[in-house]
Amino acid sequence: MIDQLPILLIIIPLFAAPLLVLLGSRHLALPISLAVVWSVFGISVALLCRVIQNGPIGYELGGWPSPYGIVYVIDYLSSFVMMFVSALGAIVLTYAPPSIKQEIPFSKHYLFYACYLLCLTGLLGMCITGDLFNVFVFLEISSLSSYALISLGKTRRAPLAALHYLIFGTIGATFFLIGIGLLYQMTGTLNMADIGRRLSEVRAERLLAGLTQFSRTELVAFAFMTVGLSIKMAVFPLHTWLPNAYAYAPSVVTGFIAATATKVSVYAFIRLVYGIFTPNFAFETMPLDTALMIFSLIGIFVASVAAIYQTDVKRLLAYSSVAQIGYMLLGISMSNVDGLTAGIVHMFNHALIKGGLFMVVGCFALRLGSVKLDDLRGAGKTMPLTSLAWVIGGLGLIGVPMTAGFISKWLLLTAALEHDWWPVAVLMLLSSLLAVVYVWRVVELLYFSEPSDKAKRAKEAPALMLIPTYIVIAATVVFGCWTVYSAGLAQKAALALLAITESGIAPGGTP
Amino acid sequence: MISPIAFLNPENMIWISLALPLLAVVLIFLFGKMPNIREACTIGISVVLFGVICSLASHVFAGERPTWRLSEMLPGFEIAFTVEPLGMLFALVASGLWILTTIYAIGYMRGHHEINQTRFFACFAIAIFAALSAAFAKNLFTLFVAYEVMTVSTYPLVTHHGNEEAKQGGRVYLGILLGTSVAFFMLAIAWTWSVAGTLDFTPGGILTQASLDGKITNMQLSILLGLFAFGIGKAALMPFHRWLPAAMVAPTPVSALLHAVAVVKVGVFSILKVVVYIFGIDLIGGTHLDVTNQTGMSDWLCYLAGASILLASLVAMTKDNLKARLAYSTISQLSYITLGAALATTDSVIGGGMHIAMHAVGKITLFFCAGAIYVGAHKKNISDMRGLGRAMPFTMGAFLIASLCIIGIPPGGGAWSKMFLAIGAAERGHSFLIAALMISSLLNIAYLVPIPILSFMTPKGQEPLKYKEAPLMCVVPLCITAVGSVALFFFADQIYAWLLPITTISGN
Amino acid sequence: MTLEDALGLYSYWIVIFLMMTGFYIVISGKNLIKTIIGLNIFQTSVFLLYITMGKVQGGTAPILRDGGGHSDHHGEGHNHGGEHGEAIHQGSEHGSVVVDHAVQQASFTEDVIATVGEAAAHSGAEYQGVLYTNPLPSVLMLTAIVVGIATTALALALIVRIREEYGTIEEDEILAIDRKSDS
């Protein structure tokens, strides 16, 4: 049973979702899906513990040996990402009932839960699999279900936002598919570790044969896959789908997707760069580090400034998400231990912070019926706990010490200095001041303005929503002071990734 | 069974003194609905805290350097505390004045019927916690964390009134303090880390070796010093001083303890710590035997501090609002301490450290007086205070005594610290700076002394004012601090002896 | 590149033509249905890319008729695409390392797996004198087609809802309505 945990992680939510639809019960859906998400969380924690104790785990589906069969690879990085994805998936779903009761018609509730579970399956699958085509399949599972989830939004703009996301997302996924095809054509395998190994062999032979080290196929494949994933990661300037999708989706969905979906795409990107192509190829042959640095920094500034001018808290946070992705990519593109650690840990920290903040916004949406800044005026008086949660989460987003945001910012800063990227270090710090502006704008509205009509009538959010919100918000503080299981794990993951690059041996290739 | 005496060793006293303010926060929230018990808890804890700090001080000034490690926040970056004389002095001042301020605040807040008193006292205790953490910090990283905790925890105090004015003031406050610390201070710390490989406060400094190894040029050291000087925005060095006047929208006890003692002193204290324990006096002062050609590294900072002293004094003269005048006076006095650090001689650094204590006691008295006048007579502007001294003799008397301390006229304690600063300037041969110190003292007289003097005169063409002294809980603390500012004059040699070890490399 | 080479790659030209056509429709189309059709064409071109890479001229379906034994002689991949030839060739050599390894194991299952793997690894493989085409790309495309259908169905469902709400499926008209309701 213990050995089968990796597959259970995927199978349970994957089968629960159609079960919910087949049952069609509006009352059973919630308990079943809660049981599923929490057991998934339990499994991923168990996997993480096993990885910490015994090192990476490889799991061969159906007993077919790698590289012919599909393998699941659970190493530091994947178990870490799965842990926080399933944790947020579980906690957001626990928080969900009051909010979706208000925002989604009751008759559609079981469909919502089914889509939610599918989306979670897809995200976890992308993390766990060691097979490149499998990544595509899971990517599409999570994307399709998230399009459906977004379209459940209350306003009539939700379907259009979902459709835009669908078009962008499909183009991105198809680009990714083209890249996979080219790689397969070149190496004849789909196992990621195997592709990486064969690519390095091909390179060595090409050098011997007096050719350029990298074939054109490889370059094209890499380009397609990077652009495809960049769309899913919402890297500036490919982020245009994100603000509307986040803004018009139901609050719960926004919380879940914002906390997890883009992070998992970043994870896939890390795998792509460090597991398949080498950083040497990506950052030295291809000028991807410079490109990422430029786009990240422009993205950070443009998106932060855009966030300042939003009139709707959800859009404000959405733009902030675009900016924060930039920080992750900055770290990843430094390709040293500190930078990679910073990028990975920021995935985790930002998932907590942004998940928590969107949960706060969900509380406001529930009580105020709106997330417009004008309607939030003075809500600090009638909803003090919710407002306080915003302040703490906001401090995390700014990166004040004792919050999780500081940890990632500090690591990123030291990594940038180690890399001698002075301008990056300075710009990064300056850009985080923009976060002060957009977070504090809301804080001032909450506490210093005359209450709006809606805020006057509002009362504190129900405990069922406040408690999960505060768990996540408290986690941002806890992981700002105690980082053994955030930065510590991220560092181990980074070391493992860089070790692959150096030795050319990937875990899971020969489990 | 551990005997209580053995338990109260210096190491344990460190965490006890850090935990006490946090315990106060918990109790304050617990008894939020019962003001009398709540305030009794605060006073009780502050008294116990002062006791613990005093007994810790007896160990530290005897030469011990107790260390207590909390944990590693990140690999290589540890939250740890070591007590050395400079921090000890600061902790003594902060915790001692906390008792008086609490008593004063009770009188003030109740006399004013302020709202949200529970939040007020809780944030106050957090700020004290942050001040002590900064005072005891073992490394720059811990210091930075404490520094930022203090910024955030004092924001609700500054904006306590919750009106438009408070919002604007809070915006400037948070904007400048957070902005400078993130943009400069954090960068400077990371840079130091990347060059020196450690952030521990070490007697003699940690950058000397890096400088000898050629990892950092003198020009870069000078820039690094600038990043620290401007990054520590709480030191209110011009041009990043605007937050201090802006913070005056806060209730007077906040201005008194935080913006005359805890917050601003954390700023200058950090600068002193950085100069003494990160750069090393010899490196900055150009007297290091192995490092050549680095005189002048901090000259620009000396002159900037000198300019800041004079300009802030001049601005203070133009202010009619008493708190605003005191705020600019504080900016000027803080630059004295920055100047002491920048001059980097034994005497100037000790003078700077001494001025932390002298100015704290003097300035808190002045703010207490300002608050007492506001409670008793509802007057904010100096021009309306003529004749007030007859109605409020204790308050105005204390004001006069404390003014002497700030100006530096014996028997005010400030006389000694300013003298050491002048000696330091002379040692460095900066005659301009000596002149600046003189002129500034004259300006101090011009903007402080007339206030109490005029207040004892009869108002022109008016009936004698029929105001009374503020409540006893306001007047007693300010009298105590006024007496303290004189007492410090006679204790100066003791403080000098306490601080002397920080300037010698073999301080341990 | 000679004309012959260029023509020899005709399947790629078709793929690229379809891809660009589909992409252009997605970018330029203001009608939501047309956009989705463009997306479909775009996806289809990728299906073609995969299928052409798997096809071996004269190859048959890879169904093993009997077990046991192994061939020492591995068929050279009959590659289809000119430009990728060299890479594929190299891939084939590494494939044989894998097979040799399997031979040492001398177990039947391993051998079959290795041979199927070999077939999958190249554009095809010869097993006991019969030339097989590579089945894997086709299988992959079955999955991708399913994904594509799901995407299209979802997109159409969304468009139905959009039309119910706005009464139009022209994007600029919808945006105009939104702008109007904003102001």
Short mmCIF file of all heavy atoms in Angstrom, two decimals, chain B residues 74-93:
data_model
loop_
_atom_site.label_atom_id
_atom_site.label_comp_id
_atom_site.label_asym_id
_atom_site.label_seq_id
_atom_site.Cartn_x
_atom_site.Cartn_y
_atom_site.Cartn_z
N LEU B 74 17.43 31.43 8.22
CA LEU B 74 17.80 30.87 6.92
C LEU B 74 19.19 30.30 7.12
O LEU B 74 19.90 30.73 8.00
CB LEU B 74 17.88 31.99 5.88
CG LEU B 74 16.58 32.44 5.27
CD1 LEU B 74 16.83 33.69 4.47
CD2 LEU B 74 16.04 31.37 4.35
N PRO B 75 19.57 29.34 6.29
CA PRO B 75 20.93 28.82 6.45
C PRO B 75 21.94 29.95 6.39
O PRO B 75 22.00 30.67 5.41
CB PRO B 75 21.07 27.87 5.25
CG PRO B 75 19.68 27.49 4.91
CD PRO B 75 18.82 28.66 5.25
N GLY B 76 22.71 30.10 7.45
CA GLY B 76 23.72 31.15 7.48
C GLY B 76 23.24 32.45 8.07
O GLY B 76 24.04 33.32 8.38
N PHE B 77 21.93 32.60 8.22
CA PHE B 77 21.40 33.84 8.79
C PHE B 77 20.64 33.50 10.04
O PHE B 77 19.58 32.91 10.00
CB PHE B 77 20.51 34.56 7.79
CG PHE B 77 21.22 34.93 6.54
CD1 PHE B 77 21.05 34.19 5.39
CD2 PHE B 77 22.09 36.00 6.52
CE1 PHE B 77 21.73 34.50 4.25
CE2 PHE B 77 22.77 36.33 5.38
CZ PHE B 77 22.59 35.59 4.23
N GLU B 78 21.23 33.91 11.14
CA GLU B 78 20.74 33.42 12.40
C GLU B 78 20.12 34.58 13.17
O GLU B 78 20.52 35.72 13.05
CB GLU B 78 21.95 32.79 13.10
CG GLU B 78 21.98 32.75 14.52
CD GLU B 78 23.27 32.15 15.05
OE1 GLU B 78 24.31 32.84 15.05
OE2 GLU B 78 23.22 31.03 15.51
N ILE B 79 19.09 34.22 13.95
CA ILE B 79 18.52 35.20 14.87
C ILE B 79 19.20 34.94 16.21
O ILE B 79 18.96 33.91 16.83
CB ILE B 79 17.00 35.02 15.00
CG1 ILE B 79 16.31 35.24 13.67
CG2 ILE B 79 16.45 35.97 16.05
CD1 ILE B 79 16.34 36.64 13.18
N ALA B 80 20.07 35.83 16.61
CA ALA B 80 20.82 35.60 17.84
C ALA B 80 21.09 36.94 18.51
O ALA B 80 21.03 37.99 17.86
CB ALA B 80 22.15 34.90 17.53
N PHE B 81 21.33 36.86 19.81
CA PHE B 81 21.49 38.08 20.58
C PHE B 81 22.76 38.02 21.42
O PHE B 81 23.04 37.02 22.05
CB PHE B 81 20.27 38.29 21.48
CG PHE B 81 18.98 38.32 20.73
CD1 PHE B 81 18.22 37.18 20.57
CD2 PHE B 81 18.55 39.50 20.14
CE1 PHE B 81 17.05 37.21 19.85
CE2 PHE B 81 17.38 39.54 19.42
CZ PHE B 81 16.62 38.38 19.27
N THR B 82 23.51 39.10 21.37
CA THR B 82 24.67 39.25 22.26
C THR B 82 24.58 40.62 22.87
O THR B 82 24.29 41.59 22.17
CB THR B 82 25.98 39.14 21.47
OG1 THR B 82 26.09 37.84 20.95
CG2 THR B 82 27.17 39.41 22.37
N VAL B 83 24.83 40.72 24.13
CA VAL B 83 24.72 42.02 24.76
C VAL B 83 26.11 42.61 24.92
O VAL B 83 27.01 41.97 25.44
CB VAL B 83 24.05 41.91 26.13
CG1 VAL B 83 23.72 43.30 26.64
CG2 VAL B 83 22.80 41.09 26.04
N GLU B 84 26.26 43.82 24.40
CA GLU B 84 27.53 44.55 24.58
C GLU B 84 27.17 45.93 25.13
O GLU B 84 26.00 46.29 25.17
CB GLU B 84 28.33 44.58 23.28
CG GLU B 84 27.56 44.90 22.02
CD GLU B 84 27.15 46.32 21.95
OE1 GLU B 84 28.05 47.17 22.03
OE2 GLU B 84 25.95 46.59 21.83
N PRO B 85 28.15 46.70 25.59
CA PRO B 85 27.83 47.91 26.35
C PRO B 85 26.92 48.90 25.64
O PRO B 85 26.00 49.44 26.25
CB PRO B 85 29.21 48.53 26.60
CG PRO B 85 30.15 47.40 26.56
CD PRO B 85 29.60 46.43 25.56
N LEU B 86 27.16 49.13 24.35
CA LEU B 86 26.36 50.13 23.65
C LEU B 86 24.88 49.73 23.67
O LEU B 86 24.00 50.52 23.99
CB LEU B 86 26.87 50.24 22.21
CG LEU B 86 26.37 51.43 21.41
CD1 LEU B 86 26.76 52.71 22.08
CD2 LEU B 86 26.94 51.37 20.01
N GLY B 87 24.62 48.45 23.32
CA GLY B 87 23.25 47.97 23.31
C GLY B 87 22.67 47.96 24.71
O GLY B 87 21.49 48.24 24.91
N MET B 88 23.52 47.66 25.67
CA MET B 88 23.06 47.62 27.06
C MET B 88 22.58 48.99 27.50
O MET B 88 21.52 49.13 28.11
CB MET B 88 24.23 47.15 27.93
CG MET B 88 23.83 46.70 29.29
SD MET B 88 22.82 45.21 29.21
CE MET B 88 21.30 45.80 29.88
N LEU B 89 23.37 49.99 27.13
CA LEU B 89 23.00 51.35 27.50
C LEU B 89 21.66 51.72 26.89
O LEU B 89 20.76 52.27 27.54
CB LEU B 89 24.09 52.31 27.04
CG LEU B 89 23.85 53.79 27.39
CD1 LEU B 89 23.99 54.00 28.88
CD2 LEU B 89 24.82 54.67 26.64
N PHE B 90 21.53 51.39 25.62
CA PHE B 90 20.29 51.69 24.91
C PHE B 90 19.11 50.96 25.55
O PHE B 90 18.03 51.55 25.76
CB PHE B 90 20.46 51.30 23.44
CG PHE B 90 19.22 51.49 22.61
CD1 PHE B 90 18.45 52.63 22.73
CD2 PHE B 90 18.84 50.52 21.70
CE1 PHE B 90 17.31 52.79 21.97
CE2 PHE B 90 17.71 50.68 20.94
CZ PHE B 90 16.94 51.82 21.07
N ALA B 91 19.32 49.69 25.90
CA ALA B 91 18.24 48.91 26.50
C ALA B 91 17.85 49.50 27.85
O ALA B 91 16.67 49.58 28.20
CB ALA B 91 18.67 47.46 26.67
N LEU B 92 18.86 49.93 28.61
CA LEU B 92 18.58 50.56 29.91
C LEU B 92 17.70 51.79 29.73
O LEU B 92 16.69 51.95 30.42
CB LEU B 92 19.90 50.99 30.56
CG LEU B 92 20.58 50.02 31.51
CD1 LEU B 92 21.90 50.62 31.97
CD2 LEU B 92 19.68 49.75 32.70
N VAL B 93 18.10 52.62 28.76
CA VAL B 93 17.34 53.85 28.55
C VAL B 93 15.91 53.52 28.12
O VAL B 93 14.94 54.04 28.67
CB VAL B 93 18.04 54.71 27.47
CG1 VAL B 93 17.17 55.86 27.06
CG2 VAL B 93 19.39 55.19 27.98
#
